[in-house]
Amino acid sequence: MQIFKLGLFAGLAAGALVAAGPAYAQVTLKVWSIDGNDRPGIADTYSKEFDEANDDIVVEYRAVPFDELVNETLRAFATGNAPDIVSFDNPDFALFSSRGAMLDITERVANSEVLSQADYFEGPMNSVTWDGKIFGLPKYTDTIGIFYNKDLFAKAGLSEPPKTWDEVVEYAEKLTDPAAGVYGATFSARAGEEGTFQFLPIIQMSGGGYDKVNTEGAAHVLDLWKQMIDNGWASKDVLSLGQWDSTGTFNSGNAAMAISGPWEVDRMVEDAQFDWGVALLPTVTEGGERSSALGGFDWGIMSTTQHPDEAFRLLEFFASQDNRIFPEFGNLPARGDIELPETGIEKKDAALKVFQEQLQFAQPRGPHPEWQKISKAIYDAMQQALTGQMSSMDALNQAQATIDGIVN
Amino acid sequence: MLKALSSLRDGVGFDILLVGAALVFLMALAGAPLIYNVLMSFQQVDMFTLGSLIRPFAGFDNYVAVVQQPEFWLVTRNTLIFVFGSMAGQFVLGFALALFFAQKFPGSATIRGLFLVSWVMPGLVVGAIWSWILAGDFGVLNVILRALGIIDANIFWKSDPAFSIWAVIIANIWLGLAFNMLLLSVGLAAIPRDLYEAAELDGANAFQRFWTITLPMMRSTIGAVLSLGLIGTLQQFDLFPALTEGGPANTSNVAGYWSWQLSFQLYDFAKGATVSVMMFLLVLFASVVYVRSTRHEVRG
């Protein structure tokens, strides 16, 4: 809220400046992203640096909450107030590029001296490509794994992280200690994209996908999750907690295992007063198929921009800083040409290796232009099963019927 | 001609001009979006056609589709619980506080003024604060209730399907309490003191004074407070994303938030418009009841 107000005042002030002194040929670029809401992030930091280093360009940064970003941009685009540069969660990008809202930068990328298409991983690059044209650049990529508290594991006589979901439940029971306020596990089963982000990989591991959600394996894991919640091995609040808050309980020692991603690592290094590690996301069956969520954001220039040249210059600057995003922000670059440096922080470097391995199994959400509807069907089913309103299989069957109506 | 002009300066023409200006203003700012919204609920709308007025006609398809959504009846039930729960809580507590502060004790005006704090706070901030208070494991409310011996185990206000809608209602009551209290305080202050004095001389006790003087004299104020409360409650949006996002499994979803979800989360603008038209009909019904109930009232 505060940031929004500041941005508004900055905008008014900048507008007044331009009106007062037309001789000063300054270009103003508006950048929107989710960074800077709860902690310093990539977009706000880089925007400020570029703004300070360039006299001819003013960069106005606005932090928009994750859940409102698409909606806010859509509204701004419809009323002609769209930002020049915006970064979207990767499943949302196709929505905009497929409908002419993003600027085609294929030529610019080909002629750029700073960046090259070949540097980027295929999955993230696909999310900014539509109809053979490039409409943006991947900002970073990420995925999820299972964090575990090694001290609590040792106390419970466990040495290895769980490999299957059945083991997660078995361990969670052993690790739960109500007297000490410790839950066995925590995750995010929220009514939103984060819920889908954590549950879709399980559907994929059991042989399904976003268009085939009612698999036996997915129903089985939902039953396991419900068992954990019902027995108090996981907090009931996993139904309303986001990933960042959910992992917060892990960091404070109140949960022994947590499902989350590399964006947690920096805070964990700082907050967690115990020995911890991270492992690949558990599978449905012993040695079964692996999957994981493919997350991450993309940069794009909106097609309504008045300053495409300057906007692309800013985009090039963002890309040129990609080697900083892991050491400084804990996000994984979406490029193969960046050698990730050893940070010297042992736990962080170990976590990085796991997440890089996990990325090989990461599968995208969609892509589908009506992704949001599919996503809602998935997280609604998950919540109906976890609150006991329907059996897991019935809930997934209902979601399947909804999804069939969208996909076919 | 001259006559018409002079009528414009002073006369019937001038009155019509004034009424006309107000009507144009209303039509442009309230009527047009409303009609556009109703229109949209009868059309097939997607992101391609969002900006244009001419779109394929859908008849009642959107209405049928909305009613057939699996969550429709749940959302309807929640909306009614939310509206009546919030209004009852805001009104009863607001009235009680207004009566309390009407007893002129030292500092009563100042403390009453402090209640304004809740009213000027943005809904999102209130939502975030209540989100911490109502947290299941470490929330303040659970700690207090446990210390008082009212509950043995933590209540998961935001995540338990039995409580989720009440989590939003509690926050909303807190948010609307000050507004109710202020309006009712003004109404109380307008009742002539001598009425009470006369009643007291006649031997009426406190309850009789309240029942025969305060309530009848407050009738129009109460009507206004309740109708504003209905509108304010149906309008309430910020608390939902901040507290429960309509979850778990839509058990705290209400029509207003659902309409937003359909339009701006799922980009199904036609269905979103349809839900809001249904809500509009509900408000219309409530206003008719309100207007009819106060029509015969003797004012002054």
Side-chain angles (χ1 to χ4, degrees):
Chain A
M1 219 51 208
Q2 201 58 38
I3 289 161
F4 172 68
K5 274 186 194 153
L6 280 177
L8 204 66
F9 284 127
L12 289 174
L17 272 179
V18 171
Y24 213 105
Q26 259 185 349
V27 167
T28 301
L29 293 176
K30 288 198 280 183
V31 179
W32 287 7
S33 181
I34 63 159
D35 302 342
N37 268 322
D38 44 15
R39 65 208 126 126
I42 296 170
D44 51 333
T45 309
Y46 292 175
S47 294
K48 196 160 158 256
E49 286 177 7
F50 188 82
D51 183 43
E52 280 163 5
N54 291 274
D55 288 335
D56 57 333
I57 298 178
V58 175
V59 183
E60 281 172 18
Y61 177 70
R62 181 182 157 198
V64 184
F66 181 95
D67 293 328
E68 286 160 36
L69 182 63
V70 171
N71 163 25
E72 191 77 10
T73 310
L74 200 65
R75 198 159 39 187
F77 183 73
T79 55
N81 297 312
D84 299 278
I85 291 183
V86 63
S87 77
F88 293 117
D89 197 9
N90 66 59
D92 296 328
F93 203 87
L95 188 78
F96 286 84
S97 51
S98 67
R99 291 170 194 198
M102 307 311 290
L103 188 72
D104 177 3
I105 56 168
T106 317
E107 286 292 304
R108 291 176 193 271
V109 172
N111 297 330
S112 172
E113 288 167 6
V114 180
L115 45 88
S116 142
Q117 185 186 346
D119 293 341
Y120 290 90
F121 290 130
E122 200 185 324
M125 202 65 211
N126 279 341
S127 67
V128 293
T129 310
W130 185 262
D131 210 11
K133 300 190 191 85
I134 301 172
F135 289 91
L137 293 172
K139 183 176 169 187
Y140 61 79
T141 184
D142 59 39
T143 186
I144 52 174
I146 184 162
F147 292 94
Y148 64 106
N149 183 326
K150 289 184 180 171
D151 291 353
L152 288 176
F153 265 60
K155 226 168 87 185
L158 301 165
S159 53
E160 290 288 304
K163 292 187 191 63
T164 63
W165 285 101
D166 288 284
E167 268 180 10
V168 171
V169 178
E170 192 187 309
Y171 289 12
E173 183 181 6
K174 287 184 190 155
L175 291 159
T176 302
D177 183 357
V182 175
Y183 285 110
T186 189
F187 48 95
S188 173
R190 193 184 189 187
E193 189 62 30
E194 284 183 293
T196 303
F197 190 67
Q198 295 221 333
F199 183 58
L200 183 64
I202 291 166
I203 296 173
Q204 291 163 340
M205 282 176 202
S206 61
Y210 75 88
D211 50 357
K212 167 88 174 93
V213 298
N214 54 347
T215 61
E216 291 289 335
H220 174 64
V221 175
L222 265 187
D223 287 339
L224 293 175
W225 283 14
K226 183 170 190 308
Q227 191 190 349
M228 281 199 284
I229 295 169
D230 288 350
N231 291 331
W233 305 335
S235 169
K236 273 207 181 75
D237 269 349
V238 296
L239 287 160
S240 60
L241 283 180
Q243 300 179 97
W244 182 252
D245 294 330
S246 169
T247 314
T249 62
F250 174 83
N251 289 348
S252 57
N254 293 107
M257 296 180 278
I259 313 288
S260 203
W263 59 86
E264 307 279 3
V265 170
D266 278 347
R267 180 179 61 153
M268 207 175 280
V269 166
E270 217 166 275
D271 291 358
Q273 306 294 323
F274 50 81
D275 192 13
W276 56 269
V278 59
L280 296 180
L281 207 60
T283 51
V284 176
T285 51
E286 183 90 51
E289 194 184 336
R290 284 196 179 282
S291 177
S292 179
L294 179 68
F297 269 61
D298 298 323
W299 296 111
I301 302 173
M302 298 214 76
S303 57
T304 45
T305 182
Q306 299 292 310
H307 313 289
D309 295 332
E310 287 82 358
F312 191 72
R313 234 175 85 196
L314 181 54
L315 215 59
E316 284 183 325
F317 172 76
F318 287 156
S320 71
Q321 307 297 311
D322 276 351
N323 54 351
R324 289 167 52 193
I325 66 174
F326 181 73
E328 284 181 38
F329 305 101
N331 294 116
L332 300 175
R335 301 163 54 158
D337 64 327
I338 291 177
E339 192 76 27
L340 292 178
E342 293 269 318
T343 58
I345 304 166
E346 188 195 334
K347 291 194 190 87
K348 184 170 173 173
D349 290 333
L352 172 64
K353 287 204 179 66
V354 176
F355 282 120
Q356 278 183 315
E357 188 186 346
Q358 182 82 84
L359 264 179
Q360 300 168 18
F361 306 107
Q363 294 184 40
R365 285 163 282 160
H368 197 279
E370 301 213 59
W371 172 250
Q372 301 292 346
K373 285 185 191 170
I374 297 169
S375 179
K376 182 164 167 47
I378 294 173
Y379 64 70
D380 273 352
M382 174 185 76
Q383 290 213 319
Q384 277 164 341
L386 294 182
T387 54
Q389 298 183 336
M390 279 189 187
S391 79
S392 298
M393 205 61 215
D394 286 350
L396 289 174
N397 283 335
Q398 183 184 299
Q400 186 63 49
T402 309
I403 290 170
D404 284 342
I406 297 164
V407 176
N408 300 327
Chain B
M1 187 64 201
L2 209 66
K3 201 180 158 199
L5 264 180
S6 78
S7 152
L8 257 192
R9 276 198 308 273
D10 183 25
V12 183
F14 188 59
D15 293 351
I16 292 173
L17 194 73
L18 285 184
V19 171
L23 270 181
V24 167
F25 186 74
L26 258 181
M27 275 311 293
L29 287 176
L34 192 72
I35 292 167
Y36 181 74
N37 199 37
V38 174
L39 189 70
M40 203 149 86
S41 73
F42 289 104
Q43 290 178 325
Q44 292 171 26
V45 188
D46 65 12
M47 278 185 54
F48 292 107
T49 56
L50 192 58
S52 55
L53 212 56
I54 311 299
R55 287 176 285 231
F57 184 69
F60 280 95
D61 286 1
N62 290 321
Y63 288 84
V64 173
V66 163
V67 176
Q68 279 176 348
Q69 295 272 317
E71 60 264 44
F72 177 77
W73 292 109
L74 188 60
V75 170
T76 308
R77 195 201 69 150
N78 291 338
T79 309
L80 292 175
I81 295 178
F82 180 69
V83 167
F84 291 112
S86 298
M87 281 175 63
Q90 287 176 357
F91 178 76
V92 171
L93 292 175
F95 209 166
L97 281 173
L99 286 169
F100 177 68
F101 285 112
Q103 321 300 315
K104 306 240 179 289
F105 55 88
S108 63
T110 317
I111 301 173
R112 187 169 57 193
L114 283 178
F115 271 83
L116 272 179
V117 171
S118 71
W119 192 37
V120 294
M121 273 225 265
L124 274 175
V125 177
V126 173
I129 293 169
W130 276 98
S131 174
W132 293 327
I133 297 176
L134 297 170
D137 290 311
F138 313 106
V140 177
L141 188 63
N142 277 336
V143 174
I144 294 173
L145 289 178
R146 267 169 42 154
L148 291 174
I150 296 172
I151 54 170
D152 307 326
N154 284 338
I155 294 177
F156 288 84
W157 295 96
K158 294 185 291 171
S159 314
D160 191 324
F163 291 101
S164 55
I165 188 72
W166 293 100
V168 195
I169 291 174
I170 291 171
N172 194 35
I173 288 176
W174 186 84
L175 190 63
L177 194 57
F179 181 64
N180 276 253
M181 183 196 73
L182 276 183
L183 283 186
L184 293 165
S185 288
V186 172
L188 281 178
I191 302 174
R193 292 289 110 194
D194 47 1
L195 278 180
Y196 289 106
E197 283 160 20
E200 217 163 340
L201 282 177
D202 289 341
N205 63 26
F207 176 76
Q208 283 169 330
R209 292 200 298 273
F210 176 75
W211 194 252
T212 54
I213 302 175
T214 311
L215 269 188
M217 294 295 284
M218 293 277 286
R219 195 171 157 181
S220 61
T221 309
I222 290 170
V225 166
L226 287 181
S227 51
L228 285 173
L230 175 69
I231 294 166
T233 308
L234 281 175
Q235 244 181 10
Q236 179 51 283
F237 172 79
D238 295 345
L239 292 177
F240 289 92
L243 280 169
T244 63
E245 299 179 294
N250 290 311
T251 49
S252 65
N253 209 349
V254 295
Y257 188 68
W258 195 36
S259 165
W260 174 85
Q261 273 191 324
L262 288 169
S263 295
F264 298 110
Q265 240 182 358
L266 309 184
Y267 313 115
D268 200 335
F269 295 97
K271 276 200 201 120
T274 306
V275 173
S276 66
V277 169
M278 290 172 167
M279 276 176 73
F280 174 71
L281 292 177
L282 183 74
V283 177
L284 203 65
F285 174 73
S287 347
V288 168
V289 170
Y290 165 64
V291 169
R292 285 186 69 91
S293 72
T294 55
R295 194 164 48 177
H296 305 295
E297 186 175 311
V298 183
R299 283 170 202 274

